[in-house]
Amino acid sequence: GGGAVTEPDQLLVDQPTAARMLSLSVGGLRKLTARGVVPACKLGRSVRYDVADLRRVIERNKTGAKA
């Protein structure tokens, strides 16, 4: 690949990919998901993360001056 974490049209990613996107360990991601900080989509026995939700989590948690 060209260094991109996800395919441009990919809507859902697995836990290791979502953790990498948020610079977290998988365990850290699981804790934040259990606390409701990071939304997840459960499909059967699989847990997937919506890329748009991950972007919103990043935006919601940014600190610093508001432009």
Side-chain angles (χ1 to χ4, degrees):
V5 175
T6 62
E7 296 297 320
D9 57 348
Q10 189 171 3
L11 298 176
L12 298 174
V13 295
D14 61 11
Q15 281 187 325
T17 303
R20 226 175 12 257
M21 291 172 74
L22 296 176
S23 299
L24 295 170
S25 66
V26 172
L29 176 61
R30 284 188 187 132
K31 286 179 188 168
L32 291 175
T33 301
R35 286 175 31 203
V37 176
V38 180
C41 180
K42 193 154 189 194
L43 302 170
R45 293 175 59 183
S46 300
V47 177
R48 295 292 180 264
Y49 294 85
D50 185 324
V51 173
D53 285 340
L54 299 179
R55 292 182 192 281
R56 278 192 288 275
V57 167
I58 293 167
E59 287 302 316
R60 246 192 346 254
N61 289 284
K62 281 185 179 175
T63 60
K66 303 284 185 216

